[in-house]
Amino acid sequence: MNRYEARLLRQGNPWLYALLRGSRLTGRLTRVPRLGWLVTDPVLARRVLNDHGGFTMAGEGGVGHMWSQLFGAEMAGLFDGTEHTRVRTAARDLFTEQAAAELVERAQGEHYRRLAERLREGETVDVAAATRVLAGRLVADLLGLRLGPDAAPYENLFSLGERLAALALGTTSSTDLPEEKIAAASRIAAELTRAVPEAYAAAGQDTILGRCRELGFSLDLTRGLATLLAVAGTETGASGTSRTVALLHDTGQLGTLLARPDLMPNAVREGLRVATPAPLIGRHVAKDVTVEGRLIREGERVIVLTHRANNDAGAFDVTREYVAENRQLWFGAGRHLCLGAAVARTQVTRMLQALTETGRPYRVVSRRAARGVLVPTYHSLKVSLDAPN
Ligand code: HEM
């Protein structure tokens, strides 16, 4: 692991860092006291994530279990079976490559252009701060919330999502939330979705809220889904973007990308692989399953350590071809494969294009890790362009 990434993980989420270090001593599939089964191998990871009968997101150990404690049984029903398929099918066309490109341009395009302009004018730009506002803008657009031109409300949206996600810290040994966490989460969710009722009533068919209304979802369930989206799409996207920017710089491979812009998709893929902003995925064991000759019992939990599984392929390398064993495990696998994958890739691409459009290298002037976060990321990552020759 490169030293900046190591520091980011250690300072942001020390428990995760310790788990990743410790996992170097475990095998592909290891039973760890108090945690459950740890999976570190990409092929096994995909096997678990694709076995929907054996492993579920909805029971203890899965993220769906936490959401159902916050938003009730109706919400729990959305994480599995036919209801899950119904929601995904209804939302699919909002998340295609084309829709993602349009969404990112509409919600963020002007801001990438402004960022590139500031760099050209010789200013130093804080990429990490920009990703927070950009993520807030994206979610606001998806949800049909009108928050005006200023950055502050979007930053607030981001920090609410971040605070909500941070409540999940310490849930790795149990996803049963204590009452005070449920109360705190409900308060944050209420603030996050303050404008949802109005938007729900008026939103068009081309928005998530409009689709929820068409599907006959109650306002409460819609608020739950809106909150889920605000959390799923913000921290991960911001982390993946700023860490890819730093990785390109720190590994000395920015020059390669500048000389060969056709490597852009590789740079984005490698950044997301190495950073793996969703570093682990939890599942509840729904029935006895034998994996690699080991019996995993109903009621146990599995932690798929995606960060480890993705990083075993090697260090960040923009010339690395697609790794077949990993596919795109940083976005998960199976029925819950990240719905926002195209959006996430587009955002990283647009940021890298904004930073490299002059053909001149950028340099990281200063950086600071975010602390006490679920998803390790930069709190600030200041970059400026090298002077023209
Ligand atoms: C680099 C950025 C991102 C990463 C690494 C990432 C990663 C993931 C992963 C690993 C999952 C699967 C979780 C599991 O199986 O338990 C997931 C699910 C999901 N993601 Fe993302 N995500 C990112 C960005 C986004 C964005 C930008 C959005 C929305 C605009 C989004 C929306 C979702 C949704 C709705 C799900 C749930 C899908 C389902 O359960 O069917 N994600 N994401």
Side-chain angles (χ1 to χ4, degrees):
M1 194 187 302
N2 115 0
R3 74 187 162 99
Y4 292 110
E5 274 288 306
R7 198 189 303 156
L8 202 70
L9 290 166
R10 200 173 58 236
Q11 295 185 344
N13 188 339
W15 178 89
L16 171 68
Y17 180 70
L19 180 66
L20 289 173
R21 301 271 306 181
S23 77
R24 292 200 289 205
L25 306 171
T26 69
R28 288 151 47 92
L29 174 71
T30 312
R31 195 159 189 276
V32 179
R34 298 214 311 278
L35 281 186
W37 292 89
L38 207 59
V39 178
T40 59
D41 172 78
V43 177
L44 273 189
R46 275 211 318 284
R47 203 179 134 195
V48 167
L49 296 175
N50 277 298
D51 179 352
H52 305 300
F55 305 96
T56 164
M57 183 193 252
E60 204 284 322
V63 72
H65 181 233
M66 284 193 272
W67 286 101
S68 57
Q69 292 167 74
L70 300 180
F71 292 99
E74 205 187 358
M75 181 89 182
L78 292 188
F79 287 99
D80 253 327
T82 50
E83 269 305 275
H84 176 258
T85 312
R86 193 161 84 98
V87 179
R88 272 198 81 118
T89 309
R92 188 174 297 144
D93 65 310
L94 299 177
F95 291 94
T96 58
E97 294 289 337
Q98 176 68 25
E102 286 167 15
L103 167 69
V104 171
E105 172 53 32
R106 188 172 67 233
Q108 307 177 330
E110 184 195 324
H111 303 277
Y112 292 117
R113 284 187 282 279
R114 176 79 194 110
L115 190 136
E117 191 181 302
R118 286 174 55 205
L119 282 171
R120 274 199 311 272
E121 286 167 359
E123 277 186 50
T124 295
V125 167
D126 187 341
V127 170
T131 61
R132 290 194 287 272
V133 178
L134 290 168
R137 288 189 184 278
L138 184 98
V139 170
D141 185 290
L142 266 179
L143 294 180
L145 308 174
R146 289 188 198 90
L147 301 177
D150 294 346
Y154 301 100
E155 230 176 320
N156 186 44
L157 199 62
F158 182 90
S159 82
L160 286 172
E162 195 173 40
R163 274 167 51 205
L164 195 58
L167 291 173
L169 284 171
T171 56
T172 317
S173 52
S174 170
T175 49
D176 273 320
L177 295 174
E179 257 174 44
E180 64 274 14
K181 280 203 180 191
I182 296 184
S186 301
R187 279 195 299 275
I188 299 172
E191 196 181 338
L192 199 60
T193 58
R194 213 172 55 236
V196 165
E198 198 187 323
Y200 172 79
Q205 265 278 21
D206 55 342
T207 68
I208 301 281
L209 298 189
R211 293 283 162 95
C212 287
R213 197 186 55 227
E214 299 299 314
L215 284 170
F217 287 175
S218 68
L219 180 56
D220 267 356
L221 186 57
T222 304
R223 282 185 52 242
L225 273 176
T227 312
L228 173 73
L229 209 59
V231 172
T234 47
E235 267 190 296
T236 45
S239 168
T241 304
S242 56
R243 286 161 78 187
T244 303
V245 169
L247 277 162
L248 254 177
H249 170 269
D250 300 337
T251 56
Q253 294 180 48
L254 178 56
T256 313
L257 178 64
L258 289 171
R260 286 195 52 197
D262 61 301
L263 289 176
M264 182 61 89
N266 283 25
V268 173
R269 190 174 62 231
E270 279 293 285
L272 293 177
R273 178 182 71 78
V274 171
T276 307
L280 54 87
I281 299 177
R283 288 290 185 266
H284 177 80
V285 184
K287 61 171 193 208
D288 287 1
V289 187
T290 303
V291 180
E292 301 245 296
R294 322 243 346 233
L295 176 65
I296 302 185
R297 289 186 188 281
E298 179 183 340
E300 292 187 315
R301 50 171 25 225
V302 174
I303 295 177
V304 176
L305 206 48
T306 42
H307 190 283
R308 206 7 246 290
N310 291 330
N311 274 277
D312 278 359
F316 180 89
D317 179 356
V318 290
T319 62
R320 187 188 301 282
E321 294 297 332
Y322 173 81
V323 184
E325 294 88 66
N326 288 84
R327 298 204 192 154
Q328 44 172 350
L329 196 52
W330 42 96
F331 288 129
R335 70 176 351 154
H336 296 291
L337 179 75
C338 178
L339 194 59
V343 176
R345 277 193 304 266
T346 308
Q347 288 186 104
V348 183
T349 308
R350 292 290 304 259
M351 178 60 87
L352 292 183
Q353 284 170 340
L355 296 182
T356 58
E357 61 153 47
T358 61
R360 273 150 51 201
Y362 58 83
R363 91 178 45 244
V364 173
V365 180
S366 71
R367 67 179 92 201
R368 186 150 60 89
R371 289 181 185 263
V373 284
L374 187 66
V375 177
T377 189
Y378 286 102
H379 176 73
S380 82
L381 181 75
K382 296 192 176 164
V383 307
S384 65
L385 288 188
D386 280 359
N389 289 323

